[in-house]
Amino acid sequence: MSKGRRSSKNGPTRRALLGGGAVLCTTLALPGIAKSQPGPRRQQPETGPPPVVFVHGNGDSSALWINNLWRFEANGYKRNQLFAIDFIYPSARSDDSKPQPLRSSAEDQMKELTSFVVQVLKATRRRKVALVGSSRGGNAIRSLLKNGGGADMVSHAVLCGTPNKGIVISDQLLVGSEFNGAFPFLKGLNEGPDDLIPGVEMMAIRSDRNDKYSQPDGRFIGAPGKPTGVSYDASELRGARNVVLEGLDHREVAFHKLAFAAMFEHITGKPPGSMFIAQEPLPILNGKVTGLSEGVYTNIPVAGAEVEIFEVDARTGERKSAVALLRKTTGEDGVWGPFVGRADAHYEFVLRIQGLPTTHTYRSPFLRSSDVVHLRPQPFAKADEGAGAVTIMSRPRGYFGIGRDKFSLDGKVPPGINDGVPGVSMGRLAFDAVPPRTVMAVFNNETIPTRTWPARDGHIVVAEFLN
């Protein structure tokens, strides 16, 4: 699976080599656990690997962990041992010390994660969990371990692309930010000779030079040409096991199959037996609708959202029937399902929320069941003004790398996708409103057919890649 072990003053580093395929599964939504497992529980003997809690990054949701959850399950984990938190306000404050509407402080996230872990321990009757965090999610993990007594609840911690040293170390850039190593939050976490927590097996997974938030130049924080005070190793943990995945970007070091292989081996003590995708013929899909307010996404459920699902032609994206396979208006919990699909089918999800664009999301086939198929509305951008129709290709679990990846929208590379270090996860094109037509989105081995919908009537289209 991986070779080339080397040592450094910051602990051993492994460079992983490509191999294997992928497998898919589902996860538990924690609110349901409290209902199905009420009251005190006797602690079970510690047998087998610990339950795993996945912790998403800045502005994200648990939906990004779908591949990791599937692969853990494919390698022996039970569905009721896999969990993924949804922070209520996933986006960080500009200045961590100052309240900001719809955003959270580092302390907010630490407290929310602590509560979640306590619930998981009660539900599973286990003494400790393993925590896996992407980007900002690793900040919450480190804070829980160092400031919140988390070592009593956590056996393993895996931080993926977490800016442990900071995106910057500066008194001029990102002043007061949780991500600035010169300010109190990270300064406190980084005190001492190393980043280890007694009793917790610590690992960091990082890119070699391809993480846009571990760069000596401030290009990706809006300050091109200005030094950040950090370098390519900003995501390393001092004294811990550090895994370098060459060529992967900031998000891929959490969601790529190689990242899965590294985290699985760290937690279980053995490499995964397979990364092949084993299909369930009739996957059961579910998730929740969450909202957008003042340009900021939250993970607060949206009531009154209308959701429709249509099966579409795999070549053209045209609906196979005018009758929706599912039509539902969400309740207070925001849940839009369940929906029994087919593993070989392409689907169009239509989301209507009052006051926001009607979002048509076209997806690759779902090969296995999942409870984290969350739906978010897609707003129009300033660049969309005057467009007859707008189609977006979106890669939530990675960025588009020119020269590294094969990707296109309607046969073109959309404008705004940068050269060099991959730094953009979305590309968009405008089309005529009529006649409606097929637009193909391609990313490596994924091809998603979409149809244009008129922007003047408030419709916007997203092709969302799974990988």
Side-chain angles (χ1 to χ4, degrees):
M1 179 203 56
S2 55
K3 298 180 181 179
R5 185 184 298 271
R6 65 181 174 86
S7 298
S8 75
K9 64 181 180 180
N10 290 331
T13 302
R14 282 164 44 112
R15 294 185 176 270
L17 304 179
L18 282 170
V23 175
L24 316 176
C25 82
T26 189
T27 186
L28 289 180
L30 198 57
I33 293 172
K35 296 176 184 177
S36 62
Q37 303 266 3
R41 296 165 182 82
R42 291 186 304 167
Q43 194 176 96
Q44 296 279 26
E46 298 290 296
T47 58
V52 182
V53 174
F54 294 92
V55 187
H56 65 75
N58 196 41
D60 293 331
S61 79
S62 61
L64 270 66
W65 294 108
I66 189 170
N67 289 341
N68 303 64
L69 293 161
W70 281 340
R71 290 176 175 137
F72 265 85
E73 187 187 76
N75 283 275
Y77 259 82
K78 302 294 185 183
R79 291 184 178 183
N80 62 6
Q81 299 295 302
L82 298 169
F83 305 84
I85 190 172
D86 279 307
F87 288 113
I88 296 172
Y89 299 115
S91 297
R93 297 173 176 177
S94 300
D95 184 327
D96 192 51
S97 66
K98 298 178 180 178
Q100 193 172 2
L102 306 175
R103 294 175 179 269
S104 56
S105 68
E107 184 177 8
D108 292 336
Q109 292 226 315
M110 186 269 282
K111 290 179 177 178
E112 198 171 344
L113 179 59
T114 301
S115 177
F116 191 90
V117 169
V118 169
Q119 292 181 64
V120 168
L121 293 174
K122 289 179 179 178
T124 59
R125 306 180 188 182
R126 297 294 295 271
R127 189 171 61 86
K128 292 188 175 186
V129 302
L131 297 178
V132 179
S134 168
S135 191
R136 188 191 185 200
N139 282 356
I141 291 173
R142 290 187 71 197
S143 184
L144 169 61
L145 294 177
K146 188 160 187 175
N147 304 323
D152 293 335
M153 301 185 290
V154 178
S155 60
H156 300 75
V158 183
L159 310 184
C160 309
T162 296
N164 293 308
K165 298 175 184 176
I167 292 173
V168 297
I169 303 175
S170 171
D171 58 4
Q172 298 180 8
L173 302 173
L174 301 181
V175 175
S177 170
E178 171 184 330
F179 307 115
N180 190 332
F183 285 85
F185 174 70
L186 281 181
K187 283 185 73 174
L189 289 184
N190 293 331
E191 287 177 349
D194 59 45
D195 298 318
L196 300 178
I197 302 294
V200 182
E201 296 292 330
M202 303 282 290
M203 183 172 81
I205 305 176
R206 73 168 181 90
S207 178
D208 49 354
R209 302 166 69 94
N210 243 16
D211 186 329
K212 73 175 188 175
Y213 293 124
S214 295
Q215 298 291 321
D217 182 88
R219 172 186 181 187
F220 291 104
I221 58 169
K226 294 185 178 180
T228 61
V230 301
S231 190
Y232 308 113
D233 64 352
S235 292
E236 287 202 347
L237 286 171
R238 295 169 298 162
R241 180 184 178 194
N242 289 284
V243 175
V244 178
L245 299 180
E246 296 181 1
L248 299 193
D249 64 45
H250 177 70
R251 291 185 177 179
E252 289 174 330
V253 294
F255 307 116
H256 193 277
K257 63 185 178 182
L258 291 180
F260 154 74
M263 63 183 66
F264 182 89
E265 183 174 359
H266 180 71
I267 292 169
T268 68
K270 60 183 180 181
S274 174
M275 291 188 284
F276 178 74
I277 299 176
Q279 294 186 11
E280 290 178 345
L282 300 174
I284 301 172
L285 306 176
N286 208 343
K288 64 183 178 181
V289 175
T290 58
L292 177 71
S293 181
E294 300 177 26
V296 180
Y297 280 114
T298 75
N299 288 320
I300 299 173
V302 173
E306 297 177 8
V307 176
E308 293 179 313
I309 300 177
F310 297 88
E311 184 179 353
V312 299
D313 188 282
R315 296 164 299 176
T316 67
E318 293 184 89
R319 294 175 180 176
K320 291 192 171 183
S321 171
V323 178
L325 298 174
L326 176 140
R327 179 177 286 112
K328 182 175 179 179
T329 300
T330 59
E332 293 299 321
D333 59 5
V335 173
W336 60 259
F339 167 70
V340 180
R342 296 201 332 270
D344 61 350
H346 285 252
Y347 293 109
E348 172 196 353
F349 290 73
V350 183
L351 174 62
R352 296 182 181 89
I353 299 176
Q354 187 173 5
L356 292 167
T358 297
T359 304
H360 301 255
T361 303
Y362 295 79
R363 300 280 297 263
S364 298
F366 292 88
L367 301 181
R368 292 185 66 86
S369 301
S370 177
D371 288 332
V372 294
V373 186
H374 301 327
L375 304 179
R376 283 177 163 180
Q378 178 64 51
F380 286 111
K382 187 172 180 59
D384 300 330
E385 292 180 4
V390 177
T391 300
I392 297 168
M393 63 177 191
S394 174
R395 191 177 174 227
R397 297 162 192 88
Y399 299 108
F400 296 110
I402 292 178
R404 183 192 68 170
D405 305 313
K406 173 188 174 184
F407 61 92
S408 63
L409 184 62
D410 200 40
K412 311 174 187 66
V413 174
I417 296 178
N418 62 284
D419 291 317
V421 175
V424 177
S425 64
M426 301 180 76
R428 62 209 304 138
L429 288 176
F431 301 92
D432 293 334
V434 291
R437 70 179 186 88
T438 297
V439 174
M440 302 297 292
V442 176
F443 176 77
N444 292 338
N445 295 323
E446 279 189 79
T447 299
I448 301 176
T450 72
R451 297 287 291 178
T452 56
W453 289 83
R456 66 173 179 270
D457 295 333
H459 295 267
I460 193 166
V461 173
V462 179
E464 183 176 315
F465 295 112
L466 183 63
N467 294 302

